[in-house]
Amino acid sequence: MLPCYVLLDLETTGGSAQQDRITEIAAVRVEQGVEVARWSTLVNPGTPISGFIEKLTGINDAMVAHAPRFAEVASQLTTLLDGAVLVAHNVRFDHGFLQHELARTGITLRAKTLCTVRLSRLLYPQFKSHGLDAIMQRHGLSSTARHRAMGDVEVMQHWLQLACAELGTECVQRHAQTLLQGSAALPPQLDTPVSDIPDTPGVYLFYGETSLPLYVGKSVKLRSRIMSHFQAAGRNPREMRIAQDIRRIEWTETAGELGALLLEARLVKELQPLHNRQLRRENTLCAWRLEANPNSRPLLTLVRGKDLAPQQFGALYGPYRSKNQALSHLRELADTHGLCLQALGLESGKGRCFGHQTGHCKGVCCGEETPERHHLRLQMALAEHKLHVWPYTGKVGLREHNPRTQRTDIHLFEQWCHLATVHSDEELTDALQTRQSQALAFDLDTYRLAVKHLLPGKHTGLERLIFSCFTYEISL
């Protein structure tokens, strides 16, 4: 099949490479089609074996009590793997455990890997299931030691011999080499050919068994970013969970990074993927509204919902993802700038506030500072957090062009909200003529992207299209 490979199987105390440990190792090394070494050992995991695992594998605590620890057999294993491709059924599982165990001994595993689940999919695409039990059943293979390490290695060895006899050694070699050329790290149950995914900007969606995505992400190089998820699964618990659950991948190309960021933010909020956290819809967004009258009490009011509208941004400061975040930040500002907690509405009562008694307030509460001066200092403290007023009279577009793919997107904005992304003059005309039937909902992630690109004086390399009566001028 390959010039040099090691068929390997592990038995473990559970399914998590981060938390569970190895209880048995078996390996057979093959060079130029000839078996040259065979080795197996029980391993003391240093942790109790559960009843479920004991029932599945037949390995119990008594059997491993006097077995060597993994560190004691690591050198034998690495010698056996030296210069060979690591071949296993669902190789990600075994590879992940070996990575963690070897890392604990200060050794980095660098072996190439080949998954016989994926090889079976390529060799026998007419069959739906490619687990070891399914392979044994359809090919008439048997084992007296199923779920023991050497027993499962021997099943793989017999199956490879049978596949070479049925399909020809050259066919098996060709498909094995195909897997080695970059896709061996993929989850074995993944149905989507990663080679079909372009290495262009865009958004990708990971799906499991249901119609709801597990994860939505973006990248300027889709295929490379997707592969990085799977390559990190052995050392990252979240990536491991995604790799275990994923079944298919969908993607949408964009002209560039801005289009990918906008689409990702929208899809995460619409679809609420299980493993996305930061971009999910925020129903608790809020901001401080500053009263124009220095004598008003309180000077600041927390606004949210429909009151958190771009048309009101001239008097709003923030935004914050929660009321607690807003209150905490305001207290920090009060402490840093000597502002009055009573005047801000953070402390009840009349007369001298507690901050003045401790030297943190300059005395607007007791007449030692004028309301006008305190109001001015409050404005200065809040200045860098002031929400930007929409600086245009209508809609504005950003043209994003990819010279490599020749794709052009125009992202249309109004009042800091992303209205649409269009790809032709006809779509642009329709989008400009469409009137909003309801007030635009404020979205923090879109606002931050729009501010970065659309504030006057900002130069991000994208063409800015300023529309007026369906004609426009271009600025860079």
Side-chain angles (χ1 to χ4, degrees):
M1 180 182 69
L2 294 169
C4 182
Y5 62 93
V6 171
L7 286 166
L8 180 136
D9 187 71
L10 305 176
E11 301 304 329
T12 67
T13 60
S16 171
Q18 291 81 22
Q19 299 175 4
D20 296 306
R21 306 301 287 266
I22 294 172
T23 59
E24 188 176 35
I25 307 170
V28 171
R29 184 178 174 104
V30 179
E31 297 179 6
Q32 304 302 328
V34 178
E35 180 181 324
V36 297
R38 176 177 290 246
W39 174 71
S40 67
T41 181
L42 288 168
V43 178
N44 187 335
T47 186
I49 298 172
S50 70
F52 171 78
I53 295 296
E54 180 181 342
K55 185 176 180 181
L56 178 68
T57 66
I59 300 173
N60 57 39
D61 291 331
M63 292 171 62
V64 299
H66 301 291
R69 294 296 183 99
F70 181 86
E72 297 175 57
V73 300
S75 61
Q76 290 175 266
L77 179 60
T78 54
T79 298
L80 199 63
L81 290 171
D82 185 38
V85 175
L86 171 60
V87 180
H89 211 66
N90 191 4
V91 73
R92 294 179 59 79
F93 177 89
D94 302 88
H95 185 262
F97 268 89
L98 289 182
Q99 272 188 319
H100 279 269
E101 291 283 15
L102 287 169
R104 293 183 184 108
T105 66
I107 300 173
T108 301
L109 179 62
R110 302 190 186 280
K112 292 183 178 180
T113 60
L114 175 68
C115 181
T116 49
V117 176
R118 297 192 66 79
L119 184 59
S120 177
R121 285 173 178 265
L122 290 178
L123 295 174
Y124 297 96
Q126 68 271 33
F127 297 111
K128 181 178 180 181
S129 181
H130 298 271
L132 210 54
D133 287 326
I135 286 176
M136 292 172 65
Q137 183 177 3
R138 68 172 176 251
H139 292 293
L141 301 174
S142 61
S143 173
T144 58
R146 179 74 176 97
H147 293 299
R148 288 297 299 270
M150 186 55 78
D152 289 352
V153 164
E154 289 175 342
V155 170
M156 286 190 290
Q157 189 175 25
H158 294 156
W159 173 73
L160 286 171
Q161 293 168 351
L162 184 148
C164 287
E166 286 186 348
L167 305 174
T169 301
E170 184 180 342
C171 174
V172 176
Q173 287 176 339
R174 184 174 66 254
H175 286 299
Q177 289 292 346
T178 298
L179 288 176
L180 280 178
Q181 293 169 0
S183 63
L186 295 173
Q189 75 280 3
L190 180 63
D191 292 326
T192 305
V194 174
S195 58
D196 291 349
I197 302 173
D199 224 10
T200 57
V203 170
Y204 56 93
L205 298 91
F206 291 163
Y207 287 91
E209 298 285 3
T210 70
S211 59
L212 293 177
L214 300 168
Y215 183 80
V216 175
K218 58 83 187 163
S219 179
V220 293
K221 290 186 175 182
L222 282 171
R223 190 188 324 119
S224 299
R225 179 68 184 101
I226 288 168
M227 286 299 298
S228 73
H229 280 281
F230 305 136
Q231 291 160 356
R235 59 183 183 273
N236 184 302
R238 187 189 72 163
E239 301 290 11
M240 175 63 79
R241 289 193 294 272
I242 291 175
Q244 290 172 340
D245 294 338
I246 193 171
R247 295 296 182 274
R248 62 187 175 90
I249 303 171
E250 294 182 1
W251 65 91
T252 300
E253 292 185 67
T254 62
E257 184 177 24
L258 176 60
L261 287 165
L262 290 168
L263 181 57
E264 177 195 35
R266 179 173 65 79
L267 290 177
V268 169
K269 292 174 178 66
E270 288 179 359
L271 302 176
Q272 297 285 286
L274 176 64
H275 292 286
N276 287 91
R277 302 233 187 270
Q278 299 207 349
L279 290 179
R280 286 186 179 182
R281 185 182 300 279
E282 296 281 1
N283 294 321
T284 57
L285 283 177
C286 53
W288 291 113
R289 181 173 59 216
L290 177 63
E291 298 295 333
N293 184 351
N295 293 294
S296 297
R297 295 293 181 271
L299 287 169
L300 293 168
T301 306
L302 202 61
V303 299
R304 64 187 76 194
K306 65 180 181 180
D307 293 326
L308 193 61
Q311 294 82 356
Q312 309 297 323
F313 280 7
L316 296 184
Y317 299 83
Y320 304 96
R321 293 192 181 274
S322 67
K323 178 180 178 180
N324 285 340
Q325 186 185 57
L327 289 170
S328 176
H329 183 248
L330 187 56
R331 288 185 182 278
E332 289 178 10
L333 290 178
D335 186 61
T336 301
H337 298 275
L339 301 171
C340 179
L341 296 179
Q342 271 187 21
L344 300 183
L346 297 176
E347 182 182 305
S348 59
K350 295 183 179 180
R352 286 204 311 158
C353 71
F354 181 76
H356 185 263
Q357 298 175 45
T358 58
H360 287 87
C361 168
K362 295 186 182 297
V364 70
C365 50
C366 57
E368 294 184 8
E369 182 182 34
T370 66
E372 291 75 16
R373 180 175 176 78
H374 181 267
H375 192 267
L376 179 61
R377 291 195 304 107
L378 174 58
Q379 290 182 68
M380 293 174 64
L382 289 168
E384 64 177 297
H385 306 284
K386 188 171 185 178
L387 294 177
H388 297 281
V389 176
W390 180 246
Y392 305 100
T393 58
K395 299 171 182 176
V396 173
L398 285 170
R399 189 200 302 273
E400 193 171 27
H401 177 72
N402 189 319
R404 185 161 70 91
T405 64
Q406 292 302 306
R407 179 187 177 98
T408 298
D409 292 341
I410 296 178
H411 311 294
L412 201 59
F413 295 85
E414 186 174 18
Q415 295 293 338
W416 303 120
C417 298
H418 178 222
L419 304 181
T421 293
V422 299
H423 314 288
S424 66
D425 291 341
E426 293 78 11
E427 290 180 354
L428 178 59
T429 299
D430 289 343
L432 290 172
Q433 292 176 342
T434 299
R435 293 183 176 275
Q436 299 299 317
S437 59
Q438 57 186 8
L440 297 170
F442 175 73
D443 177 76
L444 177 57
D445 303 298
T446 302
Y447 167 77
R448 287 172 173 168
L449 286 172
V451 164
K452 179 179 177 181
H453 290 275
L454 290 174
L455 273 183
K458 292 277 187 178
H459 301 285
T460 59
L462 299 183
E463 287 183 330
R464 189 178 302 157
L465 314 178
I466 303 173
F467 300 99
S468 177
C469 300
F470 310 130
T471 64
Y472 62 84
E473 59 181 286
I474 298 176
S475 63
L476 293 177

